């Protein structure tokens, strides 16, 4: 968690062009982001600082949850903690939280996000962070489901990849996301899946690089749609 590489990735997220109105198609203040491995908030705080209206943070470690809550409060953001591990709805009466910490495994994320969507709560989710090593693959199905079905968005998938295997693994990751999009939306899903960028965050061990793949999942809009 406390590494120089995470600091550069935090700064990259903060300045992502895909968090600006031009690429989002609306101001970030009209969007939500999901961090499925929020830790102490390295990436979650970057989304909030970039203007995202609501950041939903899944985290299972009670120490990290408390650090996340404190950090958010010190940034002046309203934060509420709900979930299977603990509940701290202390700010519920002071307005809409900027960050919601879900104190539970992200295995429960889709059931919550599905209810949130069906009830029309909160702005659409346009970014999902999957920050887990050596691979965040277990969370990708949830990430695909979490993105707004009408507008799509970006999944930031963290992976440790052998230095000499990056190109092959990148193609494999895209293929896996394509498979998941078919699984979630059916064979005629009408979506483009591509890796817009692969960030080499840091050397994890002599021959292994911590990479982040920015996977864009975009509904293809026909002139009539
Ligand atoms: C590598 S850390 C990343 C943290 C964050 N990006 C940061 O830099 O602060 C991964 C985090 O995911 C949490 N985690 C692991 N499995 C999880 C799960 N199934 N659901 C939610 N959080 C999980 C761990 O407790 C840890 O804090």
């Amino acid at each position: 968690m406390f590494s120089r590489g995470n600091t550069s990735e935090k700064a990259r997220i903060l300045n992502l062009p895909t968090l600006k109105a031009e690429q989002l198609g609306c101001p970030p203040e009209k969007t939500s982001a999901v961090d499925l491995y929020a830790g102490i908030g390295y990436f979650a705080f970057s989304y909030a600082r970039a203007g995202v209206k609501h950041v939903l943070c899944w985290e299972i470690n009670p120490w990290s949850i408390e650090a996340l809550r404190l950090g958010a409060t010190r940034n002046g953001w309203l934060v509420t903690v709900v979930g299977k591990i603990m509940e701290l709805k202390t700010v519920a009466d002071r307005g809409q939280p900027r960050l919601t910490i879900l104190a539970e495994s992200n295995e429960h994320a889709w059931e919550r996000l599905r209810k949130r969507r069906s009830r029309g709560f909160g702005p659409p989710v346009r970014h999902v962070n999957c920050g887990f090593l050596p691979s965040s693959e277990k969370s990708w199905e949830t990430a695909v489901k979490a993105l707004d079905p009408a507008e799509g968005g970006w999944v930031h998938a963290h992976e440790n990849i052998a230095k000499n295997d990056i190109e092959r693994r990148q193609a494999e990751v895209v293929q896996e996301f394509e498979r998941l999009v078919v699984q979630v939306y059916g064979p005629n899903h009408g979506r483009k899946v591509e890796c817009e960028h692969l960030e080499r965050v840091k050397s994890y061990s002599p021959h292994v690089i911590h990479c982040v793949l920015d996977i864009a999942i975009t509904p293809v809009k026909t002139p009539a749609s």
Side-chain angles (χ1 to χ4, degrees), residues 1 6 36-43 58-61 64 104-106 131-132:
M1 256 186 244
N6 277 359
L36 289 171
Y37 299 94
I40 57 172
Y42 262 63
F43 308 135
W58 269 267
E59 177 51 54
I60 48 172
N61 181 327
S64 300
E104 63 191 19
S105 169
N106 59 34
F132 194 72

Short mmCIF file of all heavy atoms in Angstrom, two decimals, residues 1 6 36-43 58-61 64 104-106 131-132, ligand 1:
data_model
loop_
_atom_site.label_atom_id
_atom_site.label_comp_id
_atom_site.label_asym_id
_atom_site.label_seq_id
_atom_site.Cartn_x
_atom_site.Cartn_y
_atom_site.Cartn_z
N MET A 1 0.81 -1.21 0.00
CA MET A 1 0.00 0.00 0.00
C MET A 1 0.85 1.26 0.00
O MET A 1 0.62 2.17 -0.77
CB MET A 1 -0.89 0.02 1.23
CG MET A 1 -2.33 -0.32 0.90
SD MET A 1 -3.36 -0.12 2.32
CE MET A 1 -3.89 -1.77 2.57
N ASN A 6 2.64 3.31 -5.97
CA ASN A 6 1.24 3.66 -5.73
C ASN A 6 1.04 5.16 -5.80
O ASN A 6 0.00 5.65 -6.22
CB ASN A 6 0.78 3.14 -4.36
CG ASN A 6 0.38 1.68 -4.44
OD1 ASN A 6 0.43 1.07 -5.49
ND2 ASN A 6 -0.01 1.11 -3.31
N LEU A 36 -12.91 -1.40 -5.76
CA LEU A 36 -13.25 -2.72 -5.20
C LEU A 36 -12.23 -3.21 -4.17
O LEU A 36 -12.48 -4.18 -3.46
CB LEU A 36 -13.41 -3.73 -6.33
CG LEU A 36 -14.66 -3.53 -7.19
CD1 LEU A 36 -14.63 -4.44 -8.42
CD2 LEU A 36 -15.94 -3.76 -6.40
N TYR A 37 -11.07 -2.56 -4.11
CA TYR A 37 -10.03 -2.88 -3.10
C TYR A 37 -9.50 -1.56 -2.56
O TYR A 37 -8.38 -1.15 -2.88
CB TYR A 37 -8.89 -3.68 -3.74
CG TYR A 37 -9.29 -5.02 -4.34
CD1 TYR A 37 -9.62 -5.13 -5.69
CD2 TYR A 37 -9.32 -6.17 -3.55
CE1 TYR A 37 -9.97 -6.37 -6.24
CE2 TYR A 37 -9.67 -7.40 -4.10
CZ TYR A 37 -9.99 -7.49 -5.45
OH TYR A 37 -10.33 -8.72 -6.00
N ALA A 38 -10.28 -0.87 -1.76
CA ALA A 38 -10.01 0.55 -1.49
C ALA A 38 -8.82 0.80 -0.58
O ALA A 38 -8.23 1.87 -0.63
CB ALA A 38 -11.27 1.20 -0.90
N GLY A 39 -8.46 -0.17 0.27
CA GLY A 39 -7.32 0.05 1.16
C GLY A 39 -7.49 1.32 1.97
O GLY A 39 -8.56 1.59 2.54
N ILE A 40 -6.43 2.14 1.99
CA ILE A 40 -6.49 3.38 2.76
C ILE A 40 -6.85 4.56 1.87
O ILE A 40 -6.74 5.72 2.29
CB ILE A 40 -5.15 3.65 3.49
CG1 ILE A 40 -3.99 3.68 2.49
CG2 ILE A 40 -4.92 2.56 4.56
CD1 ILE A 40 -2.67 4.14 3.10
N GLY A 41 -7.27 4.28 0.65
CA GLY A 41 -7.87 5.33 -0.16
C GLY A 41 -6.99 5.94 -1.23
O GLY A 41 -7.38 6.96 -1.82
N TYR A 42 -5.85 5.34 -1.50
CA TYR A 42 -4.96 5.94 -2.51
C TYR A 42 -5.71 6.33 -3.77
O TYR A 42 -5.57 7.44 -4.25
CB TYR A 42 -3.86 4.92 -2.89
CG TYR A 42 -2.57 5.15 -2.16
CD1 TYR A 42 -2.51 5.03 -0.78
CD2 TYR A 42 -1.42 5.50 -2.85
CE1 TYR A 42 -1.32 5.23 -0.11
CE2 TYR A 42 -0.23 5.70 -2.17
CZ TYR A 42 -0.19 5.56 -0.81
OH TYR A 42 0.99 5.76 -0.15
N PHE A 43 -6.48 5.40 -4.32
CA PHE A 43 -7.13 5.69 -5.60
C PHE A 43 -8.51 6.31 -5.36
O PHE A 43 -8.92 7.20 -6.09
CB PHE A 43 -7.20 4.42 -6.45
CG PHE A 43 -5.85 3.76 -6.59
CD1 PHE A 43 -5.69 2.39 -6.44
CD2 PHE A 43 -4.73 4.54 -6.83
CE1 PHE A 43 -4.43 1.80 -6.54
CE2 PHE A 43 -3.46 3.97 -6.93
CZ PHE A 43 -3.31 2.59 -6.78
N TRP A 58 -15.03 -0.58 -1.47
CA TRP A 58 -15.09 -1.86 -0.75
C TRP A 58 -13.76 -2.14 -0.08
O TRP A 58 -12.70 -1.95 -0.68
CB TRP A 58 -15.46 -3.00 -1.69
CG TRP A 58 -16.94 -3.20 -1.74
CD1 TRP A 58 -17.66 -4.07 -0.97
CD2 TRP A 58 -17.88 -2.49 -2.55
NE1 TRP A 58 -19.00 -3.93 -1.25
CE2 TRP A 58 -19.17 -2.97 -2.22
CE3 TRP A 58 -17.78 -1.49 -3.51
CZ2 TRP A 58 -20.32 -2.51 -2.82
CZ3 TRP A 58 -18.93 -1.01 -4.12
CH2 TRP A 58 -20.18 -1.53 -3.77
N GLU A 59 -13.81 -2.58 1.20
CA GLU A 59 -12.58 -2.90 1.93
C GLU A 59 -12.94 -3.83 3.08
O GLU A 59 -13.96 -3.65 3.74
CB GLU A 59 -11.91 -1.61 2.45
CG GLU A 59 -10.66 -1.79 3.27
CD GLU A 59 -9.60 -2.70 2.62
OE1 GLU A 59 -9.20 -2.44 1.48
OE2 GLU A 59 -9.18 -3.68 3.27
N ILE A 60 -12.06 -4.83 3.33
CA ILE A 60 -12.36 -5.81 4.39
C ILE A 60 -11.51 -5.64 5.64
O ILE A 60 -11.83 -6.22 6.67
CB ILE A 60 -12.19 -7.27 3.90
CG1 ILE A 60 -10.87 -7.46 3.16
CG2 ILE A 60 -13.37 -7.72 3.06
CD1 ILE A 60 -10.56 -8.92 2.82
N ASN A 61 -10.41 -4.90 5.54
CA ASN A 61 -9.51 -4.80 6.70
C ASN A 61 -9.96 -3.65 7.61
O ASN A 61 -9.94 -2.48 7.19
CB ASN A 61 -8.08 -4.56 6.18
CG ASN A 61 -7.08 -4.46 7.30
OD1 ASN A 61 -7.37 -3.98 8.39
ND2 ASN A 61 -5.87 -4.91 7.04
N SER A 64 -7.68 -0.62 7.76
CA SER A 64 -7.72 0.19 6.53
C SER A 64 -9.03 0.98 6.45
O SER A 64 -9.04 2.14 6.03
CB SER A 64 -7.59 -0.71 5.29
OG SER A 64 -6.39 -1.41 5.33
N GLU A 104 -16.97 -4.77 3.81
CA GLU A 104 -17.31 -6.17 3.51
C GLU A 104 -16.54 -6.58 2.27
O GLU A 104 -15.97 -5.73 1.57
CB GLU A 104 -18.82 -6.30 3.25
CG GLU A 104 -19.25 -5.51 2.02
CD GLU A 104 -20.75 -5.37 1.86
OE1 GLU A 104 -21.49 -5.55 2.84
OE2 GLU A 104 -21.17 -5.06 0.73
N SER A 105 -16.56 -7.86 1.98
CA SER A 105 -15.87 -8.34 0.78
C SER A 105 -16.56 -7.81 -0.48
O SER A 105 -17.80 -7.70 -0.53
CB SER A 105 -15.89 -9.87 0.76
OG SER A 105 -15.45 -10.32 -0.51
N ASN A 106 -15.75 -7.52 -1.49
CA ASN A 106 -16.35 -7.06 -2.76
C ASN A 106 -17.17 -8.16 -3.46
O ASN A 106 -17.80 -7.89 -4.47
CB ASN A 106 -15.27 -6.47 -3.67
CG ASN A 106 -14.18 -7.46 -4.00
OD1 ASN A 106 -14.43 -8.66 -4.12
ND2 ASN A 106 -12.95 -6.97 -4.14
N GLY A 131 -7.70 -2.87 -7.67
CA GLY A 131 -6.30 -2.74 -7.26
C GLY A 131 -5.83 -3.86 -6.37
O GLY A 131 -5.61 -3.66 -5.18
N PHE A 132 -5.69 -5.04 -6.94
CA PHE A 132 -5.24 -6.18 -6.14
C PHE A 132 -4.17 -6.96 -6.89
O PHE A 132 -4.31 -7.20 -8.10
CB PHE A 132 -6.44 -7.08 -5.80
CG PHE A 132 -6.13 -8.07 -4.71
CD1 PHE A 132 -6.00 -7.65 -3.39
CD2 PHE A 132 -5.97 -9.42 -5.00
CE1 PHE A 132 -5.71 -8.56 -2.38
CE2 PHE A 132 -5.68 -10.34 -3.99
CZ PHE A 132 -5.54 -9.90 -2.68
C1 LIG B 1 -3.05 -3.85 -2.53
S1 LIG B 1 -4.20 -3.19 -1.39
C2 LIG B 1 -4.70 -1.81 -2.37
C3 LIG B 1 -5.21 -0.74 -1.59
C4 LIG B 1 -5.44 0.64 -2.20
N1 LIG B 1 -5.43 0.68 -3.61
C5 LIG B 1 -4.44 1.59 -1.58
O1 LIG B 1 -3.39 1.80 -2.21
O2 LIG B 1 -4.69 2.08 -0.50
C6 LIG B 1 -5.55 -4.28 -1.49
C7 LIG B 1 -6.63 -4.04 -0.47
O3 LIG B 1 -7.73 -4.86 -0.80
C8 LIG B 1 -8.32 -5.36 0.39
N2 LIG B 1 -9.07 -6.57 0.01
C9 LIG B 1 -8.59 -7.81 -0.27
N3 LIG B 1 -9.58 -8.64 -0.64
C10 LIG B 1 -10.73 -7.92 -0.62
C11 LIG B 1 -12.10 -8.21 -0.91
N4 LIG B 1 -12.48 -9.44 -1.30
N5 LIG B 1 -13.02 -7.23 -0.78
C12 LIG B 1 -12.64 -5.98 -0.41
N6 LIG B 1 -11.35 -5.63 -0.12
C13 LIG B 1 -10.41 -6.59 -0.22
C14 LIG B 1 -7.15 -5.57 1.33
O4 LIG B 1 -7.55 -5.54 2.69
C15 LIG B 1 -6.23 -4.39 0.96
O5 LIG B 1 -6.48 -3.27 1.78
#
